[in-house]
Each structure stands twice: as C-alpha cells, then as structure tokens.
Amino acid sequence: MNRIILVGNGFDLAHRLKTRYKDFINWYLLRLYKMSRGNNSLKSDGLVEIKTKNTLDSILNYFKGNKSPEKMCEYASSGNVDIKISSLLCRILKSIQTKGWVDIEADYYAMLVECKEKKEELERLNKDFAIIKDLLIEYLNEIQKEQIDGNIFCDNIREAMLSPFSINEIAVSSEKKWWDFVEKRSRESIIFWKSFLLGYLRPDLLLKIGSVRYVYGRFNEVDFDSSEYLRKEDFPEEYLLPERIMLVNFNYTRIADIYMPNNSRFIVNHIHGELSNPESVIFGYGDEADDEYKAIVKQNDNEYLKHIKTNRYLEDDKYRQLLSFINSAPFQVCIMGHSCGLSDKTMLKTLFEHDNCVSIKPYYYVNKEGKDNYLDMVQNISRNFTNPQLMRDKVVNKTLCEPMPQLNK
C-alpha cells in the first residue's frame, strides 16, 4: 500500500514563507513604486502605465494603510490620464480589498468566461496573465533564495509524512485491500525488511526486526479465509509503513523536497513545474467539469485554452507518473496545506474517486483563536466527488486527523 502527499501553499506558509498571492501583489506594487520613484516620464511594465509623481504617491499610500488598493483602479476608471491599469490587475486589487485575500487563478478564469466572443479582450487578458506569471516566478525565486535555509526543517512534518498506516483511517469499502496489504507483508523475507527499513533513514528500525518476525510467525497461525484476523494491536508500527510515497508538490518552491529520503521508494513530483525551469511552470485553471469551461471549449479557439492546466500537463511526464503510481497499488492520500479548491479539480477528482484510493486524510490548520479549517477542507474535498457516499467513506473523520505541524516558535 502506498501514500500520496498533496502539498499546497499552506505547506509553505507553515514554514513561514510569504507565498500568499496577496504577499506577491504587495511585493509587485512596492517594486512598481521603487522602479518609478522620482521619474515623471511615462513608465509601463505591461500591466500599469504611470507618469506623474502624484500617482506614484497613491501607490505608496497603499503601503502606509491610508488608501485601499482600489484607489489605483479608481484613477484608471475615472478617465485620469496619469495612470492606466490592466483589467486583470484591477480585479485582483479589488479582490484584496473586498476579501482581504486573492485567488489569481480564479479571478483569471472568471474574466476568461466573460471574454466569450471578445477576441481582443481575450488576447489582452492572456497577455496580462502571462506577465503576472513571470512576475510571480521572479518573486518566488527571491523567496526561495532568501527564506529557505537549514533552519526551516520541521521534524514533526517528516514524522507525519513517513508515519505508518492505521486501519481506522481506511475506508470501510476498502478493508479487503487493507488485509491483502497486511497479508502480503507477512510473506516478506527478512532481507526485504532490512532493506525496506533502512530506506526510511532510521537505523533504529532495524532493532525492531524481531517484532516483524513475531508478526510473521503469528500470521502463519491465521486462516485468512476465516474472520480470525489479527487485532490491530498485534501490528508493530514499522510493519505498517507505506511501501512507496509520492509527494505531489503543487507549489513552485522546493521546500517540500527536503522531507523525502533520497531513494527509489520516495518520489517528489513537481506537478506544476519548478522555478529553475520557468517554461515548466503551470499556472492557470483546472476544472473541466465546470459548465462554463464546456462553453469555452465550444468557442473553437485555442486562445481560450492557453492557460488551462490540464492541457499543460501533457508537456512533460509528471502527470503520467502520477497516473502510473495510482494504478500500481492501493494508496492513501494525505493533504498538507492544499485547499482542494476548484483550480485543481480535474486532477483531484481523478485521485479521490480512483478505485485504489482507500483513504483521504486532511491535515487541517488551526488559527491563533483556536479555530480550525477541517470542515472547510472537507467541503472543498466534497466538490471533487460525484458520489457523496463514497466521499464520506474515504475521508478520515476529524477525531483521527491532526493539525498541520508547524515550525517551532
């Protein structure tokens, strides 16, 4: 039995990296101000055109908390010739103002839907989105260079990633797969166990070979055609470690890589590309089941599909590797910092509804007031299912889940 770990932006945030889209937009506006300060000649970066010091000061006031980000959009919409802002950036700034946060991919998709039969607006939108993507890569490269160091590792996160399975977390409909896994383990040789446990980078596990041999002996006394199964208490933890683990990194930073041992049983899949190869970065939207998406496809214009994630997955073999992994054996999905939102719905639906998926375990976030987002995560997960009963069977209940481990204060 294998494990897939979905790593989203909440994972980077747990390591105190400023990787929210709002952090990125703040960085961009400050960068814009610094680039243009003291120069009254026309300046344009493709998203914003500015040419007076008063306009630049309005940007600076945003950082002082005196003006809302919408102020820039008000300049543009009032016919003021001092500033011109792209429609996409305006929408993003308004999202920050009204919600306090922003989902750039969702804002892009909403505008894409609005561009039906408007070819010129569509081309402008895609051009602006490409500029924002390049700026995001630049920002995250700075974050990765300046904020990721040797002190950022968290032992509790690795412990959670490499933890043994528990029968209580397995879907009722998948109990047969669980016992097939346990029985297979009982037939493995001591040579296998030595190699397997060493692969977990914990030499101390070799001292527990005796407990594995004990279970092996007990299994020889069990009739698997009867209901006389071993109790869960009879299994040592090392006996129930995942056969293989694939960490599916939806982020662009490499912070998640440091948690996986460097051998063939542990795979890091940068499903959305890597900052070291900007051309590989996938940034866009991925909900093929949406009715609006179907309408967009009917436009018969590839410009509408330019930033749809599912098409970009075909540019390398990362998605194929994931499909091969989930088809190879039963697997548990652990979610660390991924919201399971609609921008990745197509892929998540493939994972969650797969017959080999025996469990979905979310690690939830707890805020300073003690409130957690477990229910929000479950609601988002449910949107990736067509069968609610199957969802309730596979998702691990809250009493068996834990908060996302955080770095020590």
Side-chain angles (χ1 to χ4, degrees):
M1 188 176 294
N2 298 327
R3 174 175 290 150
I4 290 176
I5 303 170
L6 305 183
V7 169
N9 191 46
F11 186 86
D12 281 6
L13 294 176
H15 290 80
R16 302 178 194 151
L17 302 183
K18 292 187 175 182
T19 52
R20 290 184 177 89
Y21 284 146
K22 184 177 178 181
D23 296 323
F24 159 61
I25 294 299
N26 283 345
W27 167 86
Y28 165 70
L29 293 179
L30 185 57
R31 175 182 181 271
L32 185 67
Y33 176 80
K34 288 179 177 179
M35 288 176 60
S36 305
R37 188 177 182 183
N39 191 336
N40 289 334
S41 62
L42 180 66
K43 290 287 183 179
S44 173
D45 66 352
L47 295 175
V48 178
E49 284 186 25
I50 47 181
K51 73 174 185 179
T52 71
K53 190 173 184 303
N54 290 337
T55 299
L56 296 174
D57 287 341
S58 73
I59 300 174
L60 181 61
N61 284 335
Y62 164 59
F63 294 99
K64 294 178 179 177
N66 297 327
K67 300 282 178 66
S68 75
E70 274 191 285
K71 191 65 179 177
M72 290 178 64
C73 301
E74 290 174 11
Y75 269 102
S77 61
S78 67
N80 192 310
V81 295
D82 295 341
I83 186 167
K84 182 180 179 181
I85 305 176
S86 82
S87 298
L88 178 58
L89 180 59
C90 256
R91 192 178 192 118
I92 290 169
L93 294 174
K94 288 177 180 177
S95 292
I96 294 175
Q97 170 65 13
T98 57
K99 297 182 290 190
W101 58 277
V102 64
D103 186 337
I104 294 175
E105 292 165 309
D107 279 342
Y108 163 75
Y109 182 69
M111 292 188 68
L112 184 68
V113 170
E114 296 167 4
C115 282
K116 279 184 266 184
E117 309 297 341
K118 300 175 182 177
K119 181 71 173 179
E120 187 174 336
E121 290 184 18
L122 171 65
E123 292 177 350
R124 178 72 250 182
L125 174 65
N126 279 340
K127 183 179 179 180
D128 292 347
F129 191 72
I131 293 172
I132 288 176
K133 173 185 171 181
D134 290 342
L135 287 166
L136 179 64
I137 292 172
E138 181 182 344
Y139 173 68
L140 292 176
N141 266 312
E142 287 188 16
I143 292 292
Q144 185 159 269
K145 181 179 179 180
E146 296 172 2
Q147 298 186 24
I148 297 179
D149 56 36
N151 298 321
I152 208 165
F153 185 86
C154 177
D155 291 323
N156 290 338
I157 289 179
R158 173 175 274 185
E159 183 178 337
M161 287 181 169
L162 307 186
S163 62
F165 294 118
S166 169
I167 187 174
N168 296 329
E169 298 173 0
I170 306 301
V172 173
S173 60
S174 298
E175 286 185 350
K176 176 63 167 59
K177 291 184 175 69
W178 165 263
W179 289 112
D180 288 345
F181 158 69
V182 172
E183 181 181 9
K184 179 178 180 295
R185 280 283 165 93
S186 76
R187 312 305 178 196
E188 300 288 3
S189 68
I190 296 301
I191 294 176
F192 162 84
W193 283 110
K194 287 182 177 179
S195 172
F196 178 67
L197 297 179
L198 274 176
Y200 270 80
L201 302 182
R202 286 183 55 190
D204 62 298
L205 290 178
L206 290 179
L207 301 176
K208 300 182 180 182
I209 287 289
S211 62
V212 173
R213 298 186 71 173
Y214 163 76
V215 176
Y216 179 86
R218 288 280 287 114
F219 260 112
N220 289 334
E221 304 169 7
V222 173
D223 180 4
F224 273 89
D225 293 326
S226 73
S227 59
E228 189 189 351
Y229 290 129
L230 287 173
R231 300 168 303 163
K232 62 184 179 185
E233 293 85 357
D234 289 327
F235 298 108
E237 288 190 346
E238 60 274 12
Y239 194 86
L240 302 178
L241 292 170
E243 185 88 4
R244 299 167 68 209
I245 296 177
M246 175 178 279
L247 190 154
V248 183
N249 186 14
F250 287 80
N251 301 328
Y252 308 109
T253 66
R254 298 189 63 89
I255 184 63
D257 294 42
I258 65 176
Y259 288 97
M260 287 291 101
N262 186 23
N263 65 66
S264 60
R265 292 190 183 275
F266 303 91
I267 308 161
V268 179
N269 186 332
H270 293 276
I271 197 73
H272 282 171
E274 301 180 64
L275 296 174
S276 59
N277 178 16
E279 292 299 317
S280 72
V281 171
I282 296 176
F283 186 53
Y285 201 79
D287 180 8
E288 292 178 345
D290 182 60
D291 290 337
E292 296 290 356
Y293 175 81
K294 297 173 184 177
I296 286 172
V297 171
K298 290 181 180 179
Q299 294 294 315
N300 198 29
D301 186 340
N302 288 343
E303 190 71 19
Y304 284 97
L305 307 179
K306 198 169 186 177
H307 298 292
I308 298 298
K309 288 179 179 177
T310 50
N311 298 324
R312 293 289 314 280
Y313 289 142
L314 298 176
E315 293 185 329
D316 58 40
D317 67 344
K318 294 184 177 68
Y319 192 78
R320 184 180 179 88
Q321 289 176 24
L322 177 61
L323 292 179
S324 178
F325 190 87
I326 66 177
N327 287 324
S328 66
F331 61 90
Q332 177 189 54
V333 175
C334 289
I335 303 169
M336 292 189 166
H338 196 295
S339 67
C340 298
L342 295 179
S343 61
D344 293 308
K345 182 176 180 179
T346 299
M347 181 186 297
L348 296 179
K349 181 178 173 63
T350 299
L351 291 178
F352 295 165
E353 292 195 328
H354 197 284
D355 185 58
N356 274 340
C357 178
V358 300
S359 170
I360 301 171
K361 183 176 182 179
Y363 285 81
Y364 53 85
Y365 171 72
V366 181
N367 65 22
K368 294 179 180 178
E369 289 72 38
K371 295 182 179 179
D372 65 72
N373 71 336
Y374 174 84
L375 184 57
D376 286 337
M377 292 186 69
V378 169
Q379 290 169 337
N380 288 342
I381 290 170
S382 71
R383 294 187 180 97
N384 298 285
F385 278 87
T386 54
N387 184 340
Q389 183 177 350
L390 185 63
M391 183 276 293
R392 290 189 292 271
D393 186 26
K394 289 189 176 186
V395 176
V396 178
N397 69 69
K398 185 177 179 181
T399 62
L400 298 174
C401 293
E402 304 99 41
M404 175 72 193
Q406 306 286 313
L407 293 182
N408 295 328
K409 301 297 182 182

